[in-house]
């Protein structure tokens, strides 16, 4: 058995290594390096890494890619998804999303996927099980998850998650959230809040995460919840919030506490609608051919509340502009695959929403590249710089001028390996 196994490995290894070892030279290409635009330069990648950036690099034995009319970007990062299987990571990569940050999945699936990484899947990190109370947010999806109530249980809870493989700690905190419910005769009303963690347990969980050198990312659903989480020392918020307005000092408060925010407008607008973004993405000829049947129907879905006036969308774009004005760290994320969203394609929609709501295209690109790398302490990606992973996205046009150019994908590279991009 051992002999057969080593034979298989020696057969497979050279092919994989060959793909990684073929250097590629992008010639005379526009580059968005994760922070700024370089109007024309060369980029050489080798052994899965970015080797050199500069004008007129010698081709040597590299395969040359003509960069005229194209822009090279760091592979995109979606900082809020739920990975339900290998297909999620495959679809993300098809759309140039080279890293997915999962915000709740079973540790068993996390382990399975991490131990079978493949070139045609986006890389991912995961929160594993989130911290929540019995009956709280996160317990309603049919996944049996551990819960806690008391601050004194926080440390043991966090340590268990880390043993299971959690890369960061996700905390569900739904204070101030009213849940839209189907009432009698199919009328939708706002019902009582779901049970949630106390402020003390929230603070104890965040402290326990920090003691164990992990980030604490908090799910919130109201401005009140967002403020409590920031005051409790959360590193980041997994969402912006619904409501009719955002208090003037919200952005400054986030910036003062050096926290980051993952707006997830894709899912928020699918709740407060009626014009959620998913339906538009299905019709985009640059995205549609790469969407599976399931992804298309997911994008066309909306939450029932979007057909009512119960939940206002106004607070989120207002808060986004406040974050921008205050210089707070905005980190792009979609919350795929919630209704109205899907892996990969929705990140392009999310970036367009940021621009519609007041960010410049370059600020939107930062939010999906160097900002998540900074927020989640991933120094090996999110920028085009020597020594970093060759996670790259090559597109036609200038996405720093027209954000929708991110969808006009020419090629996707994961750790230097070009993806074979096929229609679904
Ligand atoms: Zn989520």
């Amino acid at each position: 058995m051992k002999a057969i196994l080593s034979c298989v490995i020696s057969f497979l290894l050279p092919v994989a290594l060959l793909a990684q070892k073929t250097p590629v030279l992008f010639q005379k290409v526009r580059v968005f390096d994760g922070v700024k635009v370089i109007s024309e330069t060369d980029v050489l990648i080798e052994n899965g890494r970015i080797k050199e950036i500069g004008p007129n690099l010698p081709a040597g034995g590299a395969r040359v890619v003509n960069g005229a009319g194209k822009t090279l970007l760091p592979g995109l990062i979606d900082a809020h998804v739920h990975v339900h299987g290998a297909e999620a990571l495959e679809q993300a990569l098809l759309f140039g999303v080279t890293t997915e940050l999962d915000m709740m999945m079973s540790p068993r699936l996390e382990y399975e996927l991490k131990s079978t990484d493949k070139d045609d899947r986006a890389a991912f990190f995961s929160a594993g099980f989130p911290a929540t109370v019995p009956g709280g947010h996160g317990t309603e999806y049919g996944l049996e998850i551990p819960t806690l109530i008391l601050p004194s249980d926080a440390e043991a809870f966090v340590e268990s998650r880390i043993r299971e493989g959690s890369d960061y700690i996700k905390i569900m905190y739904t204070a101030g959230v009213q849940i839209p419910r189907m009432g009698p005769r199919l009328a939708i009303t706002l019902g009582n809040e779901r049970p949630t963690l106390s402020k003390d347990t929230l603070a104890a969980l965040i402290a326990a995460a920090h003691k164990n050198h992990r980030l604490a990312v908090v799910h919130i659903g109201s401005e009140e919840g967002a403020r409590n989480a920031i005051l409790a020392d959360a590193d980041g918020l997994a969402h912006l919030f619904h409501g009719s307005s955002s208090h003037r000092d919200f952005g400054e408060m986030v910036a003062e506490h050096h926290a980051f925010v993952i707006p997830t407008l894709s899912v928020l607008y699918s709740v407060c609608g009626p014009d959620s973004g998913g339906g538009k993405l299905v019709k985009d000829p640059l995205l549609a051919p790469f969407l599976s049947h399931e992804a298309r129907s997911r994008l066309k879905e909306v939450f029932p509340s979007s057909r009512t006036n119960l939940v206002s969308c106004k607070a989120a774009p207002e808060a986004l502009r406040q974050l921008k004005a205050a210089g707070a760290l905005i980190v792009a994320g979609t919350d795929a695959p919630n209704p109205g969203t899907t892996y990969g394609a929705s990140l392009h929609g999310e970036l367009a929403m940021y621009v519609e709501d007041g960010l410049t295209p370059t600020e939107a690109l930062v939010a999906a590249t160097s900002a998540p790398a900074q927020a989640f302490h991933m120094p090996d990606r999110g920028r085009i710089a020597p020594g970093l992973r060759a996670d790259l996205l090559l597109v036609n046009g200038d996405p720093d001028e027209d954000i929708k150019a991110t969808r006009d994908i020419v090629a996707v590279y994961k750790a230097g390996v070009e993806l074979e991009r096929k229609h679904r």
Side-chain angles (χ1 to χ4, degrees), residues 80-82 103-104 137 141 170 172 219 238-239 264 267 334-336 338:
H80 189 150
V81 298
H82 299 277
M103 286 295 156
M104 168 177 167
H137 184 41
Y141 302 111
K170 168 88 178 290
M172 301 296 204
H219 166 105
H239 297 286
T264 64
V267 73
T334 60
D335 209 0
N338 266 286

Side-chain angles (χ1 to χ4, degrees), residues 76-81 99-104 114 123-128 166-171 209-210 213-219 234-239 258-264 329-335 347 354 366-383:
L76 304 178
I77 300 170
D78 188 336
H80 189 150
V81 298
T99 302
E100 296 262 88
L101 301 181
D102 170 87
M103 286 295 156
M104 168 177 167
K114 279 184 175 169
F124 83 104
F125 297 93
S126 175
S166 296
D167 297 301
Y168 33 83
I169 302 300
K170 168 88 178 290
I171 302 167
H210 292 166
H213 312 289
R214 292 295 196 284
L215 294 181
V217 184
V218 182
H219 166 105
D235 297 284
L237 303 180
H239 297 286
H258 306 287
F260 63 83
V261 175
I262 309 170
T264 64
L329 195 57
I330 300 167
V331 174
T334 60
D335 209 0
L347 190 61
Y354 295 165
V366 167
T369 54
S370 60
Q374 183 190 335
F376 283 85
H377 305 172
M378 302 183 290
D380 64 341
R381 66 196 73 200
R383 288 173 300 126

Side-chain angles (χ1 to χ4, degrees), residues 25-270:
L25 178 66
F26 300 91
Q27 252 177 0
K28 298 192 188 309
V29 70
R30 185 181 179 87
V31 169
F32 168 72
D33 70 358
V35 179
K36 61 180 190 311
V37 173
I38 306 163
S39 58
E40 191 185 285
T41 191
D42 292 357
V43 177
L44 178 67
I45 64 171
E46 194 180 281
N47 292 328
R49 302 263 155 190
I50 295 158
K51 187 154 190 235
E52 216 178 331
I53 303 162
N56 309 313
L57 297 179
R63 180 167 72 82
V64 173
V65 174
N66 178 2
K70 300 181 178 70
T71 302
L72 190 67
L73 308 108
L76 304 178
I77 300 170
D78 188 336
H80 189 150
V81 298
H82 299 277
V83 175
H84 290 174
E87 321 76 59
L89 301 170
E90 286 164 15
Q91 187 181 308
L93 194 62
L94 263 179
F95 290 101
V97 179
T98 50
T99 302
E100 296 262 88
L101 301 181
D102 170 87
M103 286 295 156
M104 168 177 167
M105 74 191 289
S106 96
R108 187 184 297 257
L109 178 61
E110 180 190 342
Y111 177 79
E112 216 177 281
L113 291 174
K114 279 184 175 169
S115 47
T116 58
D117 187 28
K118 292 204 173 115
D119 289 341
D120 65 349
R121 294 180 194 166
F124 83 104
F125 297 93
S126 175
F129 284 140
T132 192
V133 291
H137 184 41
T139 61
E140 71 273 47
Y141 302 111
L143 191 64
E144 212 165 295
I145 64 175
T147 55
L148 83 165
I149 297 173
L150 300 173
S152 53
D153 291 333
E155 223 168 288
F157 186 93
V158 165
E159 282 162 9
S160 300
R161 301 294 76 73
I162 293 170
R163 270 196 302 278
E164 286 166 352
S166 296
D167 297 301
Y168 33 83
I169 302 300
K170 168 88 178 290
I171 302 167
M172 301 296 204
Y173 182 67
T174 56
V177 180
Q178 293 215 304
I179 315 163
R181 290 183 199 283
M182 299 291 273
R185 283 189 253 158
L186 297 177
I188 297 170
T189 54
L190 284 179
N192 292 335
E193 297 177 18
R194 211 185 277 284
T196 192
L197 295 162
S198 67
K199 275 199 229 176
D200 287 347
T201 307
L202 169 68
L205 282 162
I206 295 170
H210 292 166
K211 190 177 168 191
N212 287 281
H213 312 289
R214 292 295 196 284
L215 294 181
V217 184
V218 182
H219 166 105
I220 52 88
S222 70
E223 185 177 355
E224 179 196 335
R227 285 176 179 268
N228 289 348
I230 301 270
L231 290 175
D233 208 18
D235 297 284
L237 303 180
H239 297 286
L240 269 177
F241 39 82
H242 289 120
S244 52
S245 67
S246 166
H247 285 94
R248 191 178 299 182
D249 66 335
F250 176 72
E252 282 155 32
M253 190 220 183
V254 172
E256 267 167 30
H257 287 83
H258 306 287
F260 63 83
V261 175
I262 309 170
T264 64
L265 300 184
S266 304
V267 73
L268 294 189
Y269 289 172
S270 183

Side-chain angles (χ1 to χ4, degrees), residues 270-354:
S270 183
V271 170
C272 58
D275 190 22
S276 77
K280 287 187 216 158
L281 298 180
V282 175
K283 289 186 205 133
D284 188 325
L286 292 171
L287 302 174
F290 299 95
L291 291 167
S292 66
H293 180 74
E294 197 195 331
R296 274 175 225 213
S297 37
R298 205 75 179 141
L299 280 170
K300 286 183 204 156
E301 287 173 20
V302 283
F303 287 85
S305 54
S306 69
R307 301 190 189 94
T308 72
N309 290 323
L310 285 173
V311 186
S312 171
C313 279
K314 286 193 186 138
E318 202 179 333
L320 185 75
R321 287 189 286 273
Q322 291 164 345
L323 291 171
K324 168 183 160 133
L329 195 57
I330 300 167
V331 174
T334 60
D335 209 0
N338 266 286
T341 69
T342 192
Y343 306 106
S346 285
L347 190 61
H348 297 276
E350 180 84 16
L351 298 185
M353 286 173 182
Y354 295 165

